[in-house]
Amino acid sequence: MEIVTADRAPWDDLAAVFGTRGTGARCWCQRYKLAPRETFAGTPAEERAWRLREQAGCDDPGSPSSGLVAYDDDGTPVGWCAVEPRPAYTGLVRVGKVPWEGRDEDRTDASVWAVTCLFVRAGHRRRGTSRALAVAAVGHARTTGARALEAYPITTTSVIAEELHVGTVPTFEAAGLEVVHRPTPRRVVMRIELG
């Protein structure tokens, strides 16, 4: 498997990961990117796709990028990982209960990065892509100067598919993250110090 920053991937590859129907094609990794008072219903999927294209920096090597793209052995684009400085996720910073409840954290600290989405293309799941992306996210955050990396996975797999985009505890444990907080019965905060 090859994993690259999204600026090194063609937009058509990233669009293929999200597909034309289902969860990915509805969200376009914008859950934590919507502005105050914006909603999914009020922001068309085409607009969300355009925003992801801009955020990811596809087709523009060296530009800032909001994530990683995974390719399988035959070059098929199969996965996406949203990883960047935590303040880039304005919705997460603004209202996210999971990252903040019971913690005294500087929400604007750009040296702490976050993984908010692990998405694997239909037909390519359960092959280790999420774990490979989580490991790559740690390496990417480390090489770009992050002090720490956080993730906010779900604690159970007995959920609807839309909930699994945050990843699972074993996925992030395999990448070296540890549980540092349990704000709800179904979600945890996991973190690895990189500095």
Side-chain angles (χ1 to χ4, degrees):
M1 181 171 297
E2 179 185 16
I3 298 175
V4 300
T5 55
D7 62 298
R8 294 178 45 214
W11 168 246
D12 289 346
D13 286 0
L14 184 52
V17 170
F18 282 86
T20 58
R21 58 188 174 88
T23 305
R26 285 191 304 274
C27 182
W28 292 100
C29 211
Q30 297 302 298
R31 178 176 180 194
Y32 298 115
K33 296 283 194 167
L34 294 177
R37 290 183 280 289
E38 274 191 314
T39 63
F40 274 88
T43 310
E46 297 80 18
E47 170 68 16
R48 293 192 299 272
W50 178 85
R51 289 179 186 186
L52 176 60
R53 184 177 187 166
E54 293 294 306
Q55 294 156 4
C58 290
D59 300 305
D60 190 9
S63 70
S65 182
S66 61
L68 306 170
V69 179
Y71 293 86
D72 70 8
D73 291 339
D74 70 2
T76 301
V78 295
W80 160 255
C81 174
V83 55
E84 60 184 322
R86 191 172 59 189
Y89 302 107
T90 55
L92 183 75
V93 169
R94 188 176 62 250
V95 296
K97 175 181 179 178
V98 171
W100 313 118
E101 187 166 301
R103 297 174 75 208
D104 184 24
E105 280 281 315
D106 177 2
R107 297 178 186 208
T108 64
D109 184 352
S111 72
V112 178
W113 282 41
V115 172
T116 59
C117 180
L118 292 169
F119 185 78
V120 178
R121 184 179 186 171
H124 298 271
R125 297 176 182 145
R126 300 188 183 278
R127 298 180 188 175
T129 303
S130 290
R131 285 185 184 207
L133 282 164
V135 169
V138 171
H140 175 61
R142 179 177 281 123
T143 61
T144 53
R147 178 175 57 84
L149 177 69
E150 289 189 347
Y152 316 101
I154 197 151
T155 60
T156 177
T157 56
S158 297
V159 295
I160 60 173
E162 285 85 3
E163 293 179 284
L164 287 175
H165 75 278
V166 295
T168 63
V169 172
T171 295
F172 289 108
E173 284 177 337
L177 283 75
E178 298 178 350
V179 174
V180 296
H181 190 62
R182 296 181 179 276
T184 73
R186 293 170 42 114
R187 297 283 295 278
V188 295
V189 177
M190 297 184 75
R191 185 170 171 133
I192 186 170
E193 300 297 328
L194 302 172

